[in-house]
Amino acid sequence: MGLIVQKFGGTSVGSVEKILNVSNRVIEEKQRGNDVVVVVSAMGKSTDSLVALAREMAKQPSQREMDMLLTTGEQVTISLLTMALQEKGYHAVSFTGWQAGIQTESIYGNARITHIETTKLKKHLKEGKIVVVAGFQGITDEGEITTLGRGGSDTTAVALAAALRANKCDIYTDVPGVFTTDPRYVNTARKLDGISYDEMLELANLGAGVLHPRAVEFAKNYEVTLEVRSSTELTAGTLIEEESPMEQNLIVRGIAFEDQMTRVTVCGLSSGLTTLSTIFTTLANENINVDIIIQSVTNTSETSISFSVKTECCSRTVKVLEKYKDVLNYKQIETENCLAKVSIVGSGMISNPGVAAKMFAVLADNNIQVKMVSTSEIKVSTVIHENDMVKAVEALHDAFELSKITVESK
Amino acid sequence: MGLIVQKFGGTSVGSVEKILNVSNRVIEEKQRGNDVVVVVSAMGKSTDSLVALAREMAKQPSQREMDMLLTTGEQVTISLLTMALQEKGYHAVSFTGWQAGIQTESIYGNARITHIETTKLKKHLKEGKIVVVAGFQGITDEGEITTLGRGGSDTTAVALAAALRANKCDIYTDVPGVFTTDPRYVNTARKLDGISYDEMLELANLGAGVLHPRAVEFAKNYEVTLEVRSSTELTAGTLIEEESPMEQNLIVRGIAFEDQMTRVTVCGLSSGLTTLSTIFTTLANENINVDIIIQSVTNTSETSISFSVKTECCSRTVKVLEKYKDVLNYKQIETENCLAKVSIVGSGMISNPGVAAKMFAVLADNNIQVKMVSTSEIKVSTVIHENDMVKAVEALHDAFELSKITVESK
């Protein structure tokens, strides 16, 4: 007997049939004797249709009105799911973000949750009801509707689990869990039974895509045990918690990768103290997300800075740099497209020197040239040519023996 | 300089183009120097699609969840219209029913407005903004979302006009105003410049359809001047206010009609004191709406009661009566289908005896048999055969000279 928060994303509630399927997953949990809070996203492509409508009204709709518009999506899903649960004889009740007491900052489109007022939800849970909450949305102190930005429903679920001191937060998705690497590319990819918050954070940030980094961070801070699992298959998923004792001997836990990267190099900068901050403040002010950054000092008076961006941002990045050429005071810009980032992640790395060296050796053995490198305590990222990406991932997956199950599965 | 509340119904906001058209009507009013509050319904058929979705989830979805679902419809419209207004350079802001302070009873699907907390709206109006409010919806004291039932957006508009002490409430619709009778049937039908609340109430109740009776009642109680006008044509509509001095000499103001009526007669009832109340309480409990009621005592111990219902309710009505035959203690039931109701309405009738007599004479002259009659201070309704309906309306429209303009148009 406990409290479980379940989250179902847009693809899991994309049609009437899928919502009926979700209602079964909810009922199974309820029948196990648990209290259940369900967080749902908008139905499949409904957000896209709303965005398309908005674009017909205005070139750049105000973010406040976009939030007003988009939050209707989850409101539709919560009512439909609740109807389905009621039709099957269960007491259920739906709440929008504001009704569920999800308070946020006064920022439209990308607000953070500041507080959850749980009195109402607790009352309904106590009455034995299944509580269905709209993900992705909240309310400011002034009564304005806000959205939480990308991965918002994950964040709603984790935040509710933290506020209600739930035993677990289950993130249902269209894959059976977190894999050692993307199974669509590497057929020996293996589902992980467990993974730590930090490892998941690195994987999430590196584009593994199953879970939003913000939600993982929230879960880590509030020690919410997460499970990423399939909304259609009745199998155990991947547990994400502080320690992952069952696989703790694994040095490398997973491999993340991402294509369509571009390297931008700003050459001939004066190597002053403020050069780095000036260049990246300028880019941040223009909302350009920079990934890996490398600075190489070639001689005492000059320096080059390389960084990677998504290829779609490349031309905008170059434009911004050219606009501020006088301020930044550089000689020229070089760009290289068709790159990919491949990263190995694992908390065992900290105590195992030579992991990065082994990675470089594997890549070299496969004739793959490394163009950029970036490391953290639990990950090593390399930037290579896009055409080498899958070959690199397969070789690393083999070399670090990720397809082997080293411990008993639960 | 004043405050105008504008209301646009579902057909007026049924597409992107129509919402853009509405934004022009709003801007014209703003440019005249007025403060503007706009109330909108859900886009065209969007409510129907949501209802269809609900029916796929449950045979009889709970009314609370239906309200949760349906209120998303207006929320979509308010955000889209506000985007359109902002795109054209106007300061505008949208509010859902609960944000606009529209408090209602704790009844789902058909709540009445109890109070409007106007502080927020007044603040935004004072800042010069166009305020766009979702019609049809409100919030209970417990923070539950409710809807106002049929004609709810009309009611929202009138209630806001009353609470904000607006100078006028303009109800924009797909017809140019209130007509002496339905112009689709009678080509001499004429748009009225003005009409009183009571006359409009009778016409609204009699199926004229342009304005919901509840909204008219609200307007009468709070002395809100209404104008029913076209959302596409730039012409004056019909003013609805306490007195209609410009046409006050007209005895009959309009003719309403409605087909698909059925007469049900319950014969051989014992003529006790409680007979009437028993029979109609029974029908009301089963949600059967009865229109005209006639009781005729044939001898001292027995009585017959006739009443009219919509034909679609006929078989259900008969079933209910048969179910309670023992309690009601009648001999038999007779029904007559294919009937129509034709009513003349006008506040001048009170002081003009003989209006009903003239109506009957006109019908008799046209060989139209009257099957039922019902009168109020400002209307006379007759039930006749469906096939005679249009002929009756045309003859009455002529006889009471409704196509003549008796006063100068404004």
Side-chain angles (χ1 to χ4, degrees):
Chain A
M1 289 281 284
L3 170 63
I4 306 291
V5 174
Q6 300 184 312
K7 181 258 170 179
F8 296 90
T11 50
S12 303
V13 294
S15 67
V16 166
E17 292 69 37
K18 286 183 170 185
I19 293 175
L20 290 170
N21 170 57
V22 165
S23 74
N24 292 331
R25 306 310 303 260
V26 175
I27 288 169
E28 285 157 21
E29 196 63 65
K30 183 75 184 164
Q31 284 180 332
R32 269 180 222 120
N34 289 311
D35 282 338
V36 185
V37 172
V38 192
V39 174
V40 287
S41 305
M43 288 173 76
K45 300 287 167 203
S46 68
T47 303
D48 294 346
S49 333
L50 291 173
V51 170
L53 268 180
R55 296 255 176 276
E56 291 197 70
M57 306 312 302
K59 261 172 263 129
Q60 205 147 22
S62 76
Q63 197 57 60
R64 179 189 189 276
E65 300 305 326
M66 280 306 286
D67 284 3
M68 179 67 85
L69 181 67
L70 296 183
T71 49
T72 62
E74 299 85 40
Q75 193 171 330
V76 168
T77 319
I78 56 170
S79 56
L80 294 178
L81 176 58
T82 304
M83 288 174 191
L85 291 167
Q86 290 172 341
E87 183 74 0
K88 289 175 180 169
Y90 287 80
H91 290 289
V93 61
S94 69
F95 295 111
T96 62
W98 59 269
Q99 287 181 317
I102 297 172
Q103 298 286 139
T104 76
E105 307 170 309
S106 290
I107 292 170
Y108 300 110
N110 200 22
R112 280 160 202 263
I113 296 173
T114 52
H115 173 70
I116 299 185
E117 174 45 53
T118 55
T119 319
K120 184 184 272 182
L121 297 194
K122 279 181 182 158
K123 174 178 160 283
H124 287 276
L125 286 170
K126 210 173 173 185
E127 291 169 2
K129 287 181 199 153
I130 296 167
V131 169
V132 182
V133 178
F136 180 67
Q137 53 181 251
I139 186 173
T140 70
D141 291 343
E142 295 76 35
E144 295 277 288
I145 295 174
T146 50
T147 64
L148 310 181
R150 283 202 60 199
S153 293
D154 288 347
T155 311
T156 302
V158 175
L160 278 173
L164 295 166
R165 301 183 189 283
N167 299 67
K168 211 168 127 228
C169 178
D170 285 339
I171 307 285
Y172 285 86
T173 177
D174 49 359
V175 294
V178 181
F179 279 71
T180 52
T181 193
D182 191 330
R184 288 172 299 184
Y185 291 85
V186 180
N187 55 25
T188 53
R190 185 173 56 82
K191 192 187 74 190
L192 293 161
D193 290 333
I195 187 170
S196 73
Y197 294 120
D198 285 337
E199 289 170 328
M200 189 63 221
L201 262 179
E202 291 288 3
L203 287 173
N205 274 318
L206 294 170
V210 280
L211 196 50
H212 198 267
R214 228 161 110 183
V216 180
E217 224 175 288
F218 213 111
K220 177 178 153 80
N221 289 341
Y222 291 90
E223 294 181 7
V224 174
T225 301
L226 295 177
E227 183 171 343
V228 174
R229 54 194 305 184
S230 163
S231 59
T232 50
E233 293 170 37
L234 289 164
T235 49
T238 301
L239 272 182
I240 303 161
E241 50 195 341
E242 199 39 77
E243 286 205 319
S244 177
M246 307 192 66
E247 304 201 14
Q248 66 193 353
N249 296 323
L250 275 181
I251 296 167
V252 174
R253 187 87 59 168
I255 301 174
F257 53 93
E258 193 177 357
D259 58 4
Q260 293 182 42
M261 306 286 293
T262 291
R263 177 172 60 92
V264 179
T265 304
V266 188
C267 307
L269 285 154
S270 65
S271 50
L273 266 178
T274 55
T275 309
L276 260 175
S277 72
T278 309
I279 198 163
F280 291 107
T281 306
T282 306
L283 292 171
N285 288 343
E286 302 273 339
N287 281 315
I288 291 167
N289 260 324
V290 168
D291 188 12
I292 296 178
I293 297 172
I294 288 167
Q295 183 179 27
S296 58
V297 180
T298 45
N299 61 45
T300 42
S301 64
E302 266 187 15
T303 184
S304 285
I305 291 173
S306 293
F307 55 86
S308 62
V309 292
K310 294 293 287 177
T311 301
E312 63 190 28
C313 300
C314 175
S315 64
R316 205 154 55 87
T317 307
V318 172
K319 258 187 210 142
V320 170
L321 291 172
E322 282 170 351
K323 187 170 152 196
Y324 293 96
K325 186 163 191 195
D326 290 349
V327 186
L328 300 171
N329 191 23
Y330 59 83
K331 287 199 179 127
Q332 71 188 77
I333 302 167
E334 291 169 11
T335 62
E336 182 177 9
N337 288 327
C338 299
L339 300 180
K341 183 169 62 167
V342 173
S343 310
I344 55 173
V345 173
S347 46
M349 280 183 203
I350 303 174
S351 47
N352 280 274
V355 176
K358 181 171 174 183
M359 183 184 192
F360 303 148
V362 171
L363 295 175
D365 286 349
N366 285 274
N367 291 316
I368 296 167
Q369 200 201 340
V370 175
K371 290 161 190 278
M372 294 174 91
V373 173
S374 164
T375 58
S376 82
E377 287 193 324
I378 63 166
K379 93 164 181 206
V380 182
S381 294
T382 57
V383 173
I384 60 178
H385 196 277
E386 222 168 49
N387 294 345
D388 293 328
M389 181 177 79
V390 176
K391 187 168 69 167
V393 174
E394 285 175 336
L396 292 165
H397 200 265
D398 264 5
F400 288 104
E401 301 185 325
L402 289 180
S403 53
K404 279 197 200 163
I405 299 175
T406 52
V407 290
E408 286 295 298
S409 200
K410 274 178 245 191
Chain B
M1 290 281 286
L3 169 63
I4 306 292
V5 174
Q6 300 184 312
K7 182 258 170 178
F8 296 89
T11 50
S12 303
V13 294
S15 67
V16 166
E17 292 69 35
K18 286 182 169 186
I19 293 175
L20 291 171
N21 170 57
V22 164
S23 74
N24 292 332
R25 306 309 303 262
V26 174
I27 289 170
E28 285 157 21
E29 195 63 65
K30 183 74 184 163
Q31 284 180 331
R32 270 180 221 118
N34 289 311
D35 282 338
V36 185
V37 172
V38 192
V39 174
V40 287
S41 305
M43 288 172 76
K45 300 287 166 204
S46 69
T47 303
D48 295 346
S49 333
L50 292 174
V51 170
L53 268 179
R55 295 256 176 276
E56 291 196 69
M57 306 314 301
K59 262 171 264 131
Q60 205 147 22
S62 76
Q63 198 57 60
R64 179 189 188 276
E65 299 305 326
M66 279 307 285
D67 284 4
M68 180 67 85
L69 181 67
L70 296 183
T71 49
T72 62
E74 298 86 39
Q75 193 171 329
V76 168
T77 319
I78 55 170
S79 56
L80 293 179
L81 176 58
T82 304
M83 287 173 191
L85 291 167
Q86 290 172 340
E87 182 75 359
K88 289 174 181 171
Y90 287 80
H91 290 289
V93 60
S94 69
F95 295 111
T96 62
W98 59 269
Q99 288 182 316
I102 297 172
Q103 298 286 139
T104 75
E105 306 169 312
S106 290
I107 292 170
Y108 301 110
N110 200 22
R112 280 160 203 261
I113 296 173
T114 52
H115 173 71
I116 299 185
E117 173 45 52
T118 55
T119 319
K120 184 184 271 182
L121 297 194
K122 280 181 181 159
K123 175 178 160 281
H124 286 277
L125 286 171
K126 209 172 173 186
E127 292 169 0
K129 288 179 198 155
I130 296 167
V131 169
V132 182
V133 178
F136 181 66
Q137 52 182 253
I139 186 171
T140 70
D141 290 344
E142 295 76 36
E144 295 278 287
I145 295 173
T146 50
T147 63
L148 309 181
R150 284 200 61 199
S153 293
D154 287 347
T155 311
T156 301
V158 174
L160 278 173
L164 295 166
R165 302 182 188 284
N167 300 67
K168 208 168 128 232
C169 178
D170 286 339
I171 307 286
Y172 286 86
T173 177
D174 49 0
V175 293
V178 181
F179 279 71
T180 52
T181 194
D182 191 330
R184 287 171 300 184
Y185 291 84
V186 180
N187 55 25
T188 53
R190 184 174 56 83
K191 192 187 75 192
L192 293 162
D193 290 332
I195 188 170
S196 74
Y197 295 121
D198 285 336
E199 290 169 327
M200 190 62 222
L201 264 178
E202 291 288 4
L203 287 173
N205 274 319
L206 294 170
V210 281
L211 197 50
H212 198 267
R214 228 161 110 184
V216 181
E217 223 173 289
F218 213 111
K220 176 179 154 79
N221 290 341
Y222 291 91
E223 295 181 6
V224 175
T225 301
L226 295 176
E227 183 171 343
V228 174
R229 55 193 306 184
S230 163
S231 59
T232 51
E233 292 171 37
L234 290 165
T235 50
T238 301
L239 272 183
I240 304 161
E241 50 196 340
E242 199 40 78
E243 286 204 319
S244 178
M246 307 191 67
E247 302 201 13
Q248 66 191 354
N249 296 322
L250 276 180
I251 296 166
V252 174
R253 187 87 59 167
I255 301 175
F257 53 92
E258 193 176 357
D259 58 4
Q260 293 182 42
M261 306 286 293
T262 291
R263 177 171 60 92
V264 179
T265 305
V266 189
C267 306
L269 285 154
S270 64
S271 50
L273 267 179
T274 56
T275 309
L276 261 175
S277 72
T278 309
I279 198 163
F280 292 107
T281 306
T282 306
L283 292 171
N285 288 343
E286 302 273 339
N287 280 315
I288 292 167
N289 261 323
V290 167
D291 189 12
I292 295 177
I293 297 172
I294 288 168
Q295 184 180 26
S296 58
V297 181
T298 45
N299 60 46
T300 42
S301 64
E302 267 188 14
T303 185
S304 285
I305 290 173
S306 293
F307 54 87
S308 63
V309 293
K310 294 292 289 176
T311 302
E312 64 192 27
C313 300
C314 175
S315 63
R316 205 153 57 85
T317 307
V318 172
K319 259 188 210 144
V320 170
L321 291 172
E322 282 170 351
K323 187 170 153 196
Y324 293 97
K325 186 162 191 195
D326 290 351
V327 186
L328 300 172
N329 191 23
Y330 59 83
K331 287 200 181 126
Q332 70 185 79
I333 302 168
E334 291 169 10
T335 62
E336 182 179 9
N337 288 327
C338 298
L339 300 180
K341 183 170 62 166
V342 174
S343 310
I344 54 172
V345 173
S347 47
M349 281 183 203
I350 304 175
S351 47
N352 280 274
V355 175
K358 180 170 176 184
M359 182 184 193
F360 303 148
V362 170
L363 294 175
D365 287 349
N366 285 275
N367 292 315
I368 297 167
Q369 201 203 337
V370 175
K371 292 162 189 276
M372 294 174 91
V373 173
S374 164
T375 58
S376 82
E377 288 192 323
I378 64 166
K379 91 159 183 209
V380 181
S381 294
T382 56
V383 172
I384 59 177
H385 196 278
E386 223 169 49
N387 294 346
D388 292 328
M389 182 177 78
V390 176
K391 187 168 68 165
V393 174
E394 284 174 337
L396 292 166
H397 201 264
D398 264 4
F400 288 104
E401 302 185 324
L402 289 180
S403 52
K404 279 197 200 162
I405 299 173
T406 52
V407 290
E408 287 294 298
S409 199
K410 274 177 242 193

